[in-house]
Amino acid sequence: MASLPFSAASFHSTFICFNYKARNPNLFFLKKGSSFTFSRRKFIIKSVASDQRQDLKEEGQITEEASLDTFVPDSASIASSIKYHSEFTPSFAPDHFELPKAFKATAESVRDSLIINWNATYAYYEKINVKQAYYLSMEYLQGRALLNAIGNLELTGAYAEALKKLGNNLEDVAREEPDAALGNGGLGRLASCFLDSLATLNYPAWGYGLRYKYGLFKQYITKDGQEEVAENWLEMGNPWEIVRNDVSYPVKFYGEVISGPEGIKEWVGGEDITAVAYDVPIPGYKTKTTINLRLWSTKVAPEKFDLSAFNAGDHAKAYSAMKNAEKICYILYPGDESLEGKTLRLKQQYTLCSASLQDIIARYERRSGEFLNWEIFPEKVAVQMNDTHPTLCIPELIRILIDVKGLSWEQAWNITQSYINGDLSTRTVAYTNHTVLPEALEKWSLELMEKLLPRHVEIIKMIDEELVQTIIDEYGTEDLDLLQEKLKQMRILDNIELPESVAEMIAKLEKSSVEAIESTEEDDVSDEETEPTAEEDELEEEEIEEKNEVPPIIEPDPKLPKLVRMANLCVAGGYAVNGVAEIHSEIVKNEVFNDFYEMWPEKFQNKTNGVTPRRWIRFCNPDLSKIITKWTGSEDWVVNTEKLVTLRKFADNEDLQSEWREAKRRNKVKVASFLREKTGYIVNPDAMFDVQVKRIHEYKRQLLNIMGIVYRYKKMKEVSHEERKSSFAPRVCIFGGKAFATYVQAKRIVKFITDVGATVNHDPEIGDLLKVVFVPDYNVSVAEMLIPGSELSQHISTAGMEASGTSNMKFAMNGCILIGTLDGANVEIRQEVGEDNFFLFGAEAHEIAGLRKERAEGKFVPDPRFEEVKSYVRSGVFGPYNYEELMGSLEGNEGYGRADYFLVGKDFPSYIECQDKVDEAYRDQKRWTKMSILNTAGSYKFSSDRTIHEYARDIWRIDPVVLP
């Protein structure tokens, strides 16, 4: 974006673009002295480019030694910029400068700087034609952007002062920003942390996602539990996005594939929509690098509007094509219980993949110019699939290369993923696995996919045939039992006949095997010297029948659906596969994709997740950040978290401990005020703040937490007031998280938590010794409030089921002590912070299968304390709601939704005994504070900067590019 040659006479200001080489932003108005009013004025346009330097010198803003490149905007110039946008970038009536308008104008002024830096970043990338990484994700849980952006630009103080001059407070203005509803949980938050780190570390990269109109949903907590309404985050517009109407791509559904001359395939007919780009600049910390998050919105061409039908009164028919296109980007994860829901989800995934791949290829062609060479495409492009949602980018890339660009199958397949001379070379597409849950390893109906994406099914079948041939080459044909087992486990197509060529080959092998057996038997008979007895005859016939048995060709079961296994397609079509924590990556190699790992061990890597220390401590916890800076000697820890280790040598220092406790208490007071505002509950900031905030799911075991609280409450009720005070440390138990709208059991858990809270919080006998609070509509902004004030954080998933977790890292980074199982990143966090500074309980991952088997065999004997809690819940003490289904899920030995699959009952005794240790430790505040300091000191490994360095080095093979 070029600098704008405007002079706003009404403001007596000069509009300047500062294109600097240093660290600071550079597009502002420079105030010349008039007061701010909103009356209408004549807007005079004037070219001032040649006068910029002289004007600045006259105003005393720069000296001979300085330059526009090093100019640091002050609060006056920022205030002028905000005033300009409040009048000339209007989204509100001109009469008042109230908080909503102040936020929009402030954000627009920041965006000006980001656009300048964004353009400079990508102009340089284009100029040097550097290899770039492209991150495809269905979710980006960004949170509020204002404080993060001005913090990264090192302008927090200047903006605070500017807004103060305009009669506003920066924190109040920032609270006006809605959270971008582009994500659900850890998957989306990780993607956003990665973008922050990519920009901060100067790596050339893009993010791609969808621009959801309503996101997931807004959560309300009522007497009936969770209720969902559409999220309205775009209601007042999004000041951070730049619509690129000139960047759009066609996306097709349905239709048919026809063969042209020389075997060229063409996908024709069907439903056509258009994906339009919306760009969101992502600034790095203390760097000019500003990368891009490109979000796609969907629409149709105006001619698709049926004007004749509309004028005839058939309005639904007139705009049906428009609505079909627009609804693709209405909400994140539409319910998929119906065929329509499944179809919409698949449309979403394909739209993301198709638009993004077309954009990536168009930019590659533009950068290449007349020297276009498809063989070096992987040397310029790395595509990372964040989970299985973007899997369709594999067949889509091949489709574009073959059908549109005219490459052969071999060329297109080698560009996507190649296996040459026994070595996997770095190609284009890589895959991050985020889950071991079978339901999250996506499988799509072949029938649905054939209908919606007919050309892609053809390509997937070709990839499947390529994979089958590779498996045969690897394992040979001597052991047909082994071969068919490998094919069954590894094929992309499930319950589908083998490719014709392979089926014929196996049939020939089976026939040869039978003939060889018969020939051997004939030879044996001819060598016999005596006639066999009748008994010997019968026995010989049985032996012959047994020998003649050969493994049957894999035949589809007509009773089962035909499926496309997306995770298998990711592994087969990608050149790298990574898990997101050490224990998770081992499970991926040894269990989830063991057959693939045995064949391609070099494909598999671990990349332990991380979180950005800018948002998750520097900006959200300024009090603690100041203490860390003081005791480590500088602010270097914000980008070099290894510096946090310095805190270990001061962990026993009384001065540090005193400052640490004071900072924690100030944050707790803020949390208490927030809880009162959001829920009406009044809590004591001197009690322990015990927090579990994450997506509501049975494997995350919020149910174990609340059952433990019920046990605690029951024991409190059974003793005297004096015993209560001496035996139990005061606690505020805080929950937050959304249950997916169709996940009935998760919604029952939410209802149960709120019912327990309603009973406990109004019990005068208990008072401040125990409070239970469910925070509605948990999001990034709520997390930024809760995490700095938390003292105990619960990460208590069934071992082996949480891939990594990232909130555990955020809590540890903020000096919160974790209670948890040896699951996901908990394992590594415990290693780094020290075993004595982590509250461990529960079964380990390698025990889980045996424990479930024990349960199925009826050998499990529940702890009496667990049975006591279930009976207490069933007694109706928490209200009239029938919790039989919820309690019943913890009982029985088999059956879907029963038999305590997530081992709540098994781990319950260990959990409540561990909570006793928590109480004991909390009573010794010196010990607790030391544990808190050591958690922050040990969190250094869990910066997303470290994770991104590893992705860049080991998977993408890209290098940092520092702008000149």
Side-chain angles (χ1 to χ4, degrees):
M1 175 179 167
S3 32
L4 302 177
F6 292 161
S7 172
S10 57
F11 290 148
H12 305 289
S13 304
T14 303
F15 189 74
I16 303 295
C17 167
F18 302 106
N19 191 10
Y20 66 100
K21 292 180 181 176
R23 297 175 172 178
N24 293 296
N26 45 33
L27 181 60
F28 292 101
F29 281 96
L30 301 182
K31 183 178 178 184
K32 288 191 177 180
S34 73
S35 60
F36 176 40
T37 118
F38 281 101
S39 60
R40 288 192 171 275
R41 301 176 180 83
K42 185 177 180 182
F43 185 50
I44 300 174
I45 300 177
K46 173 189 174 187
S47 176
V48 296
S50 62
D51 299 329
Q52 288 179 350
R53 187 177 183 85
Q54 186 61 36
D55 288 348
L56 287 169
K57 286 170 63 179
E58 290 173 0
E59 290 299 317
Q61 300 285 354
I62 63 171
T63 65
E64 290 294 337
E65 292 76 20
S67 72
L68 290 176
D69 286 336
T70 58
F71 174 73
V72 179
D74 60 10
S75 60
S77 61
I78 290 173
S80 291
S81 173
I82 294 171
K83 288 190 289 187
Y84 166 80
H85 281 292
S86 70
E87 184 159 351
F88 295 109
T89 313
S91 293
F92 298 86
D95 307 77
H96 304 289
F97 191 66
E98 294 176 343
L99 283 175
K101 186 171 188 176
F103 160 68
K104 190 75 181 293
T106 302
E108 295 280 1
S109 77
V110 177
R111 195 188 72 169
D112 288 343
S113 292
L114 300 184
I115 291 175
I116 294 295
N117 293 347
W118 187 94
N119 285 335
T121 300
Y122 285 103
Y124 190 62
Y125 292 169
E126 294 275 323
K127 179 180 177 181
I128 65 175
N129 194 15
V130 66
K131 182 176 183 179
Q132 297 185 44
Y134 300 93
Y135 200 79
L136 271 64
S137 178
M138 287 294 286
E139 296 186 45
Y140 288 92
L141 200 58
Q142 294 174 283
R144 292 169 175 161
L146 179 59
L147 293 181
N148 193 72
I150 63 176
N152 278 0
L153 294 169
E154 298 182 274
L155 287 173
T156 302
Y159 266 91
E161 188 177 341
L163 285 166
K164 188 175 181 180
K165 290 178 180 179
L166 298 174
N168 285 288
N169 176 276
L170 174 59
E171 286 72 24
D172 293 338
V173 170
R175 277 195 289 270
E176 290 297 311
E177 180 177 5
D179 276 38
L182 298 171
N184 175 31
L187 184 80
R189 186 52 239 168
L190 180 76
S192 294
C193 282
F194 279 3
L195 294 185
D196 178 273
S197 287
L198 284 163
T200 297
L201 301 175
N202 300 302
Y203 281 113
W206 287 63
Y208 283 105
L210 295 181
R211 182 179 178 268
Y212 303 108
K213 185 174 182 179
Y214 301 116
L216 190 68
F217 57 80
K218 191 175 183 66
Q219 180 194 54
Y220 288 107
I221 300 299
T222 70
K223 62 181 179 59
D224 297 316
Q226 171 181 296
E227 291 187 8
E228 309 90 18
V229 297
E231 178 63 74
N232 61 349
W233 76 285
L234 284 174
E235 186 177 32
M236 303 304 291
N238 179 10
W240 304 109
E241 66 185 15
I242 305 104
V243 59
R244 305 293 194 190
N245 287 309
D246 59 327
V247 180
S248 62
Y249 297 97
V251 178
K252 182 185 292 295
F253 305 109
Y254 304 109
E256 62 179 341
V257 180
I258 59 174
S259 297
E262 300 180 4
I264 295 174
K265 297 293 185 76
E266 186 179 2
W267 185 11
V268 298
E271 177 184 313
D272 297 308
I273 67 166
T274 301
V276 181
Y278 284 73
D279 287 348
V280 179
I282 309 294
Y285 179 70
K286 292 188 178 183
T287 176
K288 190 176 180 180
T289 299
T290 302
I291 66 171
N292 188 37
L293 171 59
R294 177 157 285 177
L295 302 172
W296 300 108
S297 186
T298 45
K299 67 177 186 179
V300 291
E303 55 266 24
K304 295 290 183 180
F305 180 78
D306 192 337
L307 188 60
S308 298
F310 190 85
N311 287 331
D314 192 349
H315 299 160
K317 179 184 176 183
Y319 52 69
S320 63
M322 184 186 308
K323 288 300 179 185
N324 280 336
E326 289 176 353
K327 73 181 181 183
I328 291 172
C329 291
Y330 273 176
I331 67 169
L332 169 67
Y333 302 142
D336 60 355
E337 301 297 313
S338 64
L339 176 61
E340 291 77 10
K342 289 181 174 66
T343 303
L344 186 55
R345 278 208 189 189
L346 193 54
K347 280 186 172 183
Q348 285 184 333
Q349 294 185 6
Y350 179 61
T351 297
L352 168 64
C353 296
S354 180
S356 301
L357 262 295
Q358 289 181 73
D359 192 45
I360 291 167
I361 288 171
R363 294 174 63 246
Y364 172 74
E365 290 179 315
R366 186 172 66 249
R367 293 200 311 270
S368 300
E370 61 186 47
F371 303 104
L372 181 63
N373 179 1
W374 290 108
E375 289 186 3
I376 65 169
F377 184 77
E379 297 174 22
K380 298 296 181 181
V381 171
V383 176
Q384 189 70 36
M385 301 182 295
N386 192 29
D387 216 340
T388 55
H389 307 128
T391 305
L392 287 169
C393 73
I394 294 171
E396 175 66 2
L397 175 59
I398 293 172
R399 182 193 72 82
I400 295 172
L401 293 175
I402 294 177
D403 296 357
V404 181
K405 303 304 176 184
L407 274 65
S408 68
W409 161 257
E410 289 76 14
Q411 289 174 309
W413 179 238
N414 286 341
I415 286 171
T416 306
Q417 188 271 77
S418 67
Y419 191 77
I420 303 170
N421 298 325
D423 292 320
L424 276 163
S425 58
T426 301
R427 307 309 288 166
T428 303
V429 183
Y431 161 54
T432 299
N433 174 273
H434 283 281
T435 184
V436 300
L437 297 177
E439 66 268 23
L441 294 171
E442 291 183 295
K443 296 179 181 179
W444 284 102
S445 161
L446 179 67
E447 182 183 2
L448 170 60
M449 194 173 283
E450 282 180 321
K451 184 178 179 182
L452 191 69
L453 302 168
R455 179 57 177 143
H456 294 77
V457 170
E458 290 185 350
I459 293 169
I460 289 169
K461 287 181 177 179
M462 294 170 73
I463 298 173
D464 183 65
E465 185 169 357
E466 189 88 21
L467 174 61
V468 167
Q469 190 58 57
T470 302
I471 295 168
I472 292 171
D473 292 343
E474 177 72 17
Y475 292 100
T477 56
E478 290 80 14
D479 188 341
L480 290 178
D481 280 316
L482 173 65
L483 177 60
Q484 298 215 43
E485 180 61 27
K486 292 295 181 183
L487 291 172
K488 182 179 179 181
Q489 296 298 323
M490 299 174 70
R491 285 190 66 196
I492 296 163
L493 302 175
D494 185 26
N495 197 37
I496 296 170
E497 60 276 355
L498 284 168
E500 188 175 334
S501 59
V502 177
E504 288 175 359
M505 180 195 71
I506 292 181
K508 288 177 182 177
L509 288 170
E510 291 174 339
K511 184 178 179 183
S512 299
S513 176
V514 171
E515 289 172 350
I517 292 170
E518 290 174 345
S519 174
T520 302
E521 289 162 354
E522 288 172 3
D523 292 342
D524 290 342
V525 169
S526 65
D527 291 338
E528 291 289 340
E529 296 179 356
T530 59
E531 290 293 324
T533 66
E535 289 181 358
E536 288 174 334
D537 243 348
E538 189 176 338
L539 182 61
E540 189 174 333
E541 285 176 10
E542 289 177 2
E543 289 174 350
I544 290 171
E545 286 177 11
E546 197 173 306
K547 289 177 182 176
N548 284 343
E549 285 182 5
V550 293
I553 297 173
I554 297 173
E555 292 289 348
D557 185 339
K559 298 177 182 177
L560 297 175
K562 297 182 177 184
L563 300 171
V564 180
R565 297 189 282 200
M566 306 303 271
N568 287 21
L569 177 54
C570 285
V571 179
Y575 68 88
V577 180
N578 72 278
V580 290
E582 287 177 1
I583 186 174
H584 169 241
S585 294
E586 290 304 306
I587 293 171
V588 165
K589 291 189 295 186
N590 298 326
E591 297 179 28
V592 182
F593 298 124
N594 180 250
D595 294 303
F596 287 103
Y597 174 65
E598 288 179 351
M599 188 166 74
W600 291 320
E602 58 274 38
K603 269 195 184 191
F604 289 80
Q605 303 183 24
N606 174 61
K607 296 288 172 279
T608 297
N609 284 341
V611 300
T612 166
R614 270 76 62 185
R615 181 180 288 270
W616 290 112
I617 183 166
R618 175 63 182 84
F619 301 145
C620 77
N621 198 345
D623 287 344
L624 194 62
S625 296
K626 290 174 185 174
I627 295 170
I628 294 171
T629 297
K630 173 184 172 181
W631 287 86
T632 59
S634 73
E635 269 203 342
D636 290 350
W637 62 270
V638 180
V639 286
N640 297 303
T641 49
E642 294 85 358
K643 302 283 187 181
L644 292 173
V645 177
T646 306
L647 293 172
R648 285 177 177 164
K649 63 184 179 182
F650 302 116
D652 288 308
N653 186 288
E654 291 186 3
D655 291 336
L656 173 57
Q657 287 204 1
S658 177
E659 293 174 19
W660 201 271
R661 280 192 294 269
E662 288 173 10
K664 181 64 74 173
R665 194 180 190 284
R666 283 194 294 271
N667 287 325
K668 290 173 69 179
V669 168
K670 292 177 185 177
V671 171
S673 175
F674 171 80
L675 294 179
R676 183 173 186 175
E677 176 190 345
K678 293 296 182 182
T679 70
Y681 289 130
I682 299 172
V683 301
N684 180 7
D686 292 320
M688 179 203 302
F689 280 18
D690 172 354
V691 180
Q692 187 179 20
V693 283
K694 52 185 75 230
R695 182 166 51 96
I696 310 295
H697 197 293
E698 287 171 278
Y699 89 84
K700 293 179 184 288
R701 298 203 296 191
Q702 286 91 352
L703 186 55
L704 174 60
N705 186 351
I706 192 64
M707 295 285 276
I709 291 169
V710 169
Y711 178 79
R712 186 182 187 90
Y713 175 64
K714 185 174 186 295
K715 294 299 136 185
M716 283 181 170
K717 295 287 286 181
E718 291 172 353
V719 299
S720 66
H721 177 71
E722 290 72 21
E723 287 178 292
R724 220 176 279 144
K725 291 191 70 173
S726 62
S727 301
F728 299 96
R731 287 207 198 193
V732 177
C733 300
I734 302 168
F735 292 84
K738 294 179 180 179
F740 191 66
T742 58
Y743 191 174
V744 175
Q745 193 74 326
K747 295 177 82 169
R748 287 188 183 120
I749 293 170
V750 174
K751 169 66 173 166
F752 184 35
I753 294 168
T754 57
D755 281 354
V756 171
T759 299
V760 171
N761 299 344
H762 294 99
D763 189 330
E765 289 185 357
I766 301 303
D768 285 342
L769 271 181
L770 183 63
K771 297 291 184 185
V772 180
V773 183
F774 192 101
V775 181
D777 205 38
Y778 177 68
N779 57 24
V780 175
S781 296
V782 174
E784 290 172 331
M785 170 65 67
L786 291 180
I787 290 173
S790 301
E791 293 173 290
L792 180 75
S793 180
Q794 308 225 14
H795 302 274
I796 56 178
S797 54
T798 310
M801 302 199 73
E802 184 74 85
S804 168
T806 51
S807 65
N808 45 8
M809 302 170 184
K810 298 164 195 169
F811 281 102
M813 201 172 275
N814 282 270
C816 182
I817 300 159
L818 276 55
I819 179 172
T821 52
L822 283 178
D823 196 27
N826 282 2
V827 177
E828 293 162 77
I829 291 174
R830 183 169 176 261
Q831 290 170 351
E832 299 299 335
V833 305
E835 294 180 6
D836 293 338
N837 305 305
F838 184 106
F839 294 105
L840 177 67
F841 76 95
E844 297 185 30
H846 67 273
E847 300 175 295
I848 300 303
L851 291 170
R852 286 179 177 148
K853 183 173 183 290
E854 178 186 273
R855 184 73 182 236
E857 293 170 352
K859 297 177 181 178
F860 173 69
V861 178
D863 187 277
R865 293 167 291 185
F866 186 60
E867 296 300 287
E868 181 184 342
V869 170
K870 288 190 297 177
S871 297
Y872 193 55
V873 172
R874 284 174 163 138
S875 72
V877 68
F878 300 114
Y881 186 83
N882 184 358
Y883 283 108
E884 189 55 42
E885 288 292 333
L886 192 58
M887 295 299 105
S889 71
L890 307 173
E891 298 172 338
N893 296 319
E894 59 185 357
Y896 179 76
R898 301 184 70 84
D900 194 14
Y901 183 78
F902 301 99
L903 304 182
V904 173
K906 174 64 182 177
D907 281 350
F908 185 79
S910 175
Y911 177 69
I912 60 174
E913 288 159 13
C914 190
Q915 288 286 11
D916 290 339
K917 296 176 183 176
V918 173
D919 275 13
E920 179 185 351
Y922 193 74
R923 290 191 187 94
D924 183 349
Q925 278 293 293
K926 182 175 176 63
R927 174 192 170 192
W928 188 272
T929 305
K930 179 180 179 180
M931 294 171 71
S932 175
I933 294 168
L934 291 174
N935 265 264
T936 298
S939 68
Y940 69 94
K941 174 182 176 179
F942 304 102
S943 166
S944 51
D945 295 351
R946 186 265 314 150
T947 314
I948 285 300
H949 273 312
E950 292 178 3
Y951 272 100
R953 180 191 65 212
D954 302 334
I955 296 181
W956 304 330
R957 310 288 172 87
I958 60 173
D959 298 310
V961 175
V962 180
L963 272 64

